Amino acid sequence: SGPGRRAYEGYITLLNPAPYAIVWACVYGHLFDLGRYRGLVLGGAGRVEGEVYAISPALERRLDEIEEVWPEPGGEYVRREVAVRLNPSLDDASTPGAVIDANLFCLVYEATPEAVNGRPAIAGGDWVAYRQRLS
């Protein structure tokens, strides 16, 4: 079975003030394996699975610093606001991947073309399933 989705969410669950995971979601795009973490490229027909977190303004600024988009852009990511398709509640494991007909605008960090160049694509767009396969 392996660890749940939140076990793979990385540093965000360790930050202070702590974020609050509210729902599974997906966007159209493709995931790439960047080593210890992943890179999302928006667009196309692929579907990428993830979680939506409620965060404070202080944590939003901290994430911008971590992803190197503030105070000066120049890292591996570009900050975007996109509509994500909502999935069932995190507590509802009976229907993983089912899409609810609703959208929510969210902050995402899209990987730059340079960051994903030559990196392996993650088939299926699910980082957790991919990491579990590698374990």
Side-chain angles (χ1 to χ4, degrees):
S1 64
R5 180 166 297 277
R6 281 178 270 182
Y8 288 99
E9 288 307 311
Y11 66 84
I12 192 168
T13 58
L14 305 175
L15 295 176
N16 189 12
Y20 177 70
I22 57 173
V23 70
W24 288 0
C26 63
V27 295
Y28 287 110
H30 300 279
L31 274 185
F32 293 85
D33 184 340
L34 304 183
R36 293 181 300 130
Y37 50 96
R38 65 254 187 221
L40 166 68
V41 175
L42 294 166
R47 189 171 110 171
V48 176
E49 301 286 337
E51 290 181 350
V52 174
Y53 285 87
I55 61 173
S56 70
L59 183 53
E60 184 176 336
R61 285 189 300 277
R62 181 69 183 120
L63 289 171
D64 285 351
E65 291 171 359
I66 289 169
E67 304 302 353
E68 299 179 3
V69 299
W70 184 87
E72 296 292 327
E76 295 178 304
Y77 296 93
V78 177
R79 179 181 163 141
R80 305 261 190 245
E81 185 173 306
V82 299
V84 301
R85 295 286 309 267
L86 301 184
N87 289 354
S89 163
L90 290 172
D91 297 325
D92 181 7
S94 62
T95 56
V99 177
I100 296 171
D101 189 18
N103 290 327
L104 178 67
F105 281 92
C106 295
L107 168 67
V108 300
Y109 294 92
E110 180 179 21
T112 64
E114 297 81 17
V116 300
N117 187 29
R119 298 297 193 140
I122 298 172
D126 189 327
W127 173 252
V128 173
Y130 174 76
R131 297 295 294 180
Q132 288 173 344
R133 284 193 305 269
L134 293 179
S135 300

